[in-house]
Amino acid sequence: MSPSHDFLGKLAHWVDSLAVINSTSERWIGGRCFLLKRRRFGRGWIILLGNIFLRLSNSRIRMFSDSVAWQGWEMQSYEVLHGRACLSILKDALLIEPLPGRSLKNYLESGALTKTMLQAAGREFKRCHALLNGGWSHGDPHLDNVLYDEVTKRAYLIDIETRHDSRLSAPECHADDLLVFLLDLLGRDSAACWLEHSRIFLESYADVEVLVALARRLIMPRGLELVLWKTRTNHLPTHILRERIRLLNEQIRSVISPSAAAATNR
């Protein structure tokens, strides 16, 4: 490993160590279980530094520096996406009615991730992206932020704590959501499964305009953007990441139509 790659790897681990800005715990009220999400004390300066890093690393998202703005966005999103209560109880806390299921990260790590789960995730991403007149996006939908309920056979997006840059088009925001999910998948999944799992997810999402935007974005990064992608791929070695990005790009082009694939080259 070159000294520059070693430095970038250490920087990526440092960024990861500062990433968690909210804590979540269970609270029982009136015999019902709720999730209490509270902004960690002293996280203001972390958010400030984090947003500087996100801007310099060509990220498309920003963290909320203002707790009230974060609360408002997460409350609105839970109501629109899930029809569930998400209540502001303090200036830095939310009380959330939990959704059923386990995270896809949990299923993957236990060796139980299935085609049905990935298809449900693809459909849920597409459904959510159509809401608010096509203007809704998550910002950070990694595997831990996607639940799957084995009873209802459906997926849910949770932990909506960031927003995309308002200057981006809807397809660009939606493509960025897919990118975050796929980077986490290719970074955590085994070499034998990640590409097939990606194909299942992409075919279930099946929005050509967004997939074209995703293909245009899927270029091996450098510098601070590489650090960002390292944090999103479980710190995958650079040479492995480069090869998986190439294979994923080929996968995307095989999923979209030939005419749309030609558009990615223009």
Side-chain angles (χ1 to χ4, degrees):
M1 179 182 293
S2 70
S4 61
H5 283 168
D6 183 55
F7 169 75
L8 292 177
K10 291 179 180 178
L11 181 57
H13 280 284
W14 180 79
V15 171
D16 259 356
S17 70
L18 301 178
V20 180
I21 59 174
N22 293 322
S23 64
T24 303
S25 59
E26 289 187 351
R27 289 290 186 275
W28 289 85
I29 302 175
R32 297 173 60 194
C33 181
F34 291 85
L35 299 177
L36 178 65
K37 179 185 284 190
R38 185 190 298 272
R39 181 148 289 185
R40 293 175 183 270
F41 179 75
R43 283 307 187 188
W45 71 274
I46 295 290
I47 293 172
L48 175 62
L49 292 176
N51 280 333
I52 292 173
F53 169 76
L54 289 172
R55 183 174 66 251
L56 295 177
S57 62
N58 197 32
S59 170
R60 307 284 180 100
I61 63 170
R62 299 294 181 267
M63 293 182 284
F64 289 99
S65 57
D66 179 69
S67 293
V68 174
W70 153 60
Q71 288 173 311
W73 176 238
E74 187 143 14
M75 290 167 63
Q76 179 187 9
S77 293
Y78 262 75
E79 177 64 29
V80 170
L81 268 63
H82 310 307
R84 295 223 172 188
C86 183
L87 306 174
S88 172
I89 60 171
L90 296 169
K91 67 176 183 178
D92 61 350
L94 288 173
L95 195 64
I96 302 172
E97 185 180 353
L99 291 157
R102 294 159 50 197
S103 74
L104 292 190
K105 178 184 175 183
N106 184 285
Y107 281 110
L108 176 62
E109 291 179 341
S110 63
L113 187 65
T114 67
K115 176 180 179 180
T116 300
M117 296 172 187
L118 290 161
Q119 288 173 329
R123 291 192 298 268
E124 182 66 3
F125 271 69
K126 188 171 185 178
R127 183 190 74 85
C128 293
H129 284 166
L131 298 174
L132 297 180
N133 295 318
W136 188 88
S137 59
H138 188 289
D140 192 29
H142 51 73
L143 296 177
D144 220 15
N145 283 343
V146 184
L147 303 182
Y148 177 77
D149 179 24
E150 295 187 76
V151 176
T152 61
K153 309 297 182 187
R154 66 161 294 185
Y156 301 92
L157 299 181
I158 63 169
D159 286 346
I160 305 149
E161 301 173 354
T162 60
R163 290 204 74 169
H164 277 105
D165 190 322
S166 60
R167 295 169 294 183
L168 297 175
S169 68
E172 288 175 316
C173 293
H174 299 161
D176 191 66
D177 274 355
L178 300 191
L179 177 67
V180 171
F181 181 87
L182 291 167
L183 287 177
D184 199 21
L185 185 62
L186 71 83
R188 295 184 185 278
D189 208 344
S190 71
C193 299
W194 76 268
L195 192 58
E196 175 64 10
H197 285 167
S198 298
R199 181 191 63 78
I200 293 167
F201 173 77
L202 290 166
E203 288 182 345
S204 298
Y205 185 85
D207 184 311
V208 170
E209 184 179 15
V210 175
L211 295 186
V212 169
L214 175 60
R216 287 174 174 158
R217 179 83 193 281
L218 205 60
I219 299 172
M220 186 65 186
R222 302 170 62 184
L224 287 181
E225 189 171 9
L226 177 57
V227 173
L228 176 66
W229 284 36
K230 288 274 190 179
T231 68
R232 289 177 168 174
T233 56
N234 200 29
H235 305 281
L236 205 63
T238 302
H239 69 284
I240 297 177
L241 175 60
R242 180 179 291 106
E243 176 61 11
R244 292 192 176 188
I245 292 299
R246 183 187 68 80
L247 293 172
L248 181 56
N249 224 319
E250 291 179 357
Q251 183 80 274
I252 294 168
R253 292 167 185 267
S254 72
V255 171
I256 60 182
S257 68
S259 59
T264 68
N265 293 319
R266 291 202 296 265

